[in-house]
Amino acid sequence: MLEIYNSLTRFKETFKPLHEGHVGMYVCGPTVYGDAHLGHARPAITFDVLYRYLQYLGYKVRYVRNITDVGHLEHDADEGEDKIAKKARLEQLEPMEVVQYYTNRYHRDMAALNVLPPSIEPHASGHIIEQIAFVQKILDRGYAYVANGSVYMDVEKYAKDYPYGKLSGRNLHDIIAETRELDGQSEKKHSYDFALWKKAAPEHIMHWPSPWSEGFPGWHMECSTMGTKYLGEQFDIHGGGLDLIFPHHEAEIAQSCAALGKESVHYWMHNNMITIAGKKMGKSYNNFITLEQFFSGNHPLLSKAFGPMVIRFFILQAHYRSTVDFSSEALEAAEKGLQRLQEAYARLQKIQPSAVSSQPSDLRQRCQEAMDDDLNTPFVIAALFDSVKAINTVWDGKGAISEADLNELREVWKTYAIDILGLRLEETGNGDDSQQKAFHGAIDLLLGIRLQAKQNKDWATSDKIRNELTALGFQIKDTKDGFEWSI
Ligand code: ZN
């Protein structure tokens, strides 16, 4: 039996891949029946940083993140109407139109957040044959039963042979206590048995033939099937939000043990939740804000629009195992912090080296230690802020840095801030790259004209440009080499 880790403290010492030099990583992706919100951004960004970091360490990583497009029902994952089928019915669309529409929008939002695409993005509906075969294996090994065309996991039988509940720290007694008895559950032997295959009701529009009925797979089945299909019967890392531990991941462990006689996952990693005033963000709480609303500022809880990099930075300011409490004020603070990093990064590119450095930098070591310590991104950010102070000292002429140290510092910033944390520090707004470049070029041009006017003692032109840019919200600072501006 493999051990289960919820965290990888001292990453390099505790993380041992099953195959040297290679890492297989599976993360539960979205159910595509609505726009992605802040709660989707967190696992995507958390495991994006892990993906980037593993590659930086030299591993060849196969990263699988699925798209759930069938079988995720409205209540307790196992009961009620299929979420995608319901949306399709309400909007009079083909279910796959709903899937494609929201998948495209999910990709758009993830690209804006600078989340790298996974190596493989399998759809549940594209793996029905494999899921049927997986269910059959569980039936063959005696841990499931057929009732009225549906197949259910025989949890009581399974729990006699394997520790059901080990990931969530529950025992069968706890699980019985928290499982609701719903109408129509009578075909199950016990309320806590979960569906591996469901017979489709006549009004259910997404269904496939199987040995048991015309129906569809249970929600948990897709991840067991697609994880082992693409990463092998045993693989390194399985991630997702903390809310997936029970029942989803507990069910995945049970399915793998029941079908294969062993656990598939070596390390489980879970990111904590985002809350609004202490309450979990989610559709059921009616307090969710979509990423598009953040980017446009179009939501009553938001004071203004926040760019994708502000959202990414806000999430990385907390350790992935801590909760993050959202507020507009917290985002505004994150925006200011990100601007300081962007300003320092720009200065770092312009600084001129001296013969010797006035102070040594321990930035690389601090960033490395923080990442090795269970992906401690807030410590990496704290180290970067200390480096901002040092950069500004040199910028203001109160310190010096040698050419070798300057090159090293530029490289550490690029490695940790840009490549691993995935922050786009060259950008300062929401526009695309070409717009940004044109905008920056135009302001630099105006301020260049002002500089020339000043040198020609044409104070009227110089003051006019300065005052009008200031009125538009620009801050202009004269420096010994020319000028500097920010918004
Ligand atoms: Zn999953």
Side-chain angles (χ1 to χ4, degrees), residues 94-234:
E94 267 297 312
M96 283 304 133
E97 266 182 298
V98 173
V99 167
Q100 192 67 57
Y101 179 77
Y102 287 111
T103 302
N104 291 347
R105 290 168 73 86
Y106 180 73
H107 289 161
R108 178 202 62 186
D109 291 343
M110 292 303 116
L113 292 170
N114 205 19
V115 167
L116 299 173
S119 327
I120 305 176
E121 192 174 52
H123 286 231
S125 68
H127 295 76
I128 300 294
I129 292 168
E130 291 90 338
Q131 295 187 72
I132 289 171
F134 210 104
V135 174
Q136 188 61 56
K137 273 190 204 167
I138 299 175
L139 275 167
D140 292 346
R141 294 191 75 237
Y143 292 110
Y145 58 91
V146 182
N148 191 26
S150 293
V151 186
Y152 293 99
M153 186 81 185
D154 190 337
V155 170
E156 196 170 86
K157 176 133 193 255
Y158 172 81
K160 287 200 176 100
D161 297 339
Y162 298 94
Y164 187 62
K166 66 184 276 193
L167 186 64
S168 56
R170 288 167 166 84
N171 58 37
L172 209 52
H173 184 78
D174 301 334
I175 293 166
I176 294 166
E178 58 187 84
T179 311
R180 286 183 298 149
E181 282 289 354
L182 293 170
D183 289 342
Q185 273 193 342
S186 52
E187 66 188 33
K188 291 185 190 180
K189 281 191 202 165
H190 296 104
S191 59
Y192 47 78
D193 293 346
F194 55 88
L196 304 177
W197 184 266
K198 288 279 272 187
K199 181 183 174 179
E203 66 276 13
H204 199 98
I205 48 181
M206 294 166 86
H207 48 79
W208 291 263
S210 79
W212 317 290
S213 65
E214 186 74 20
F216 54 92
W219 172 42
H220 315 306
M221 187 44 68
E222 63 177 282
C223 292
S224 290
T225 305
M226 299 190 295
T228 53
K229 176 177 165 95
Y230 294 111
L231 299 172
E233 285 193 357
Q234 291 189 302

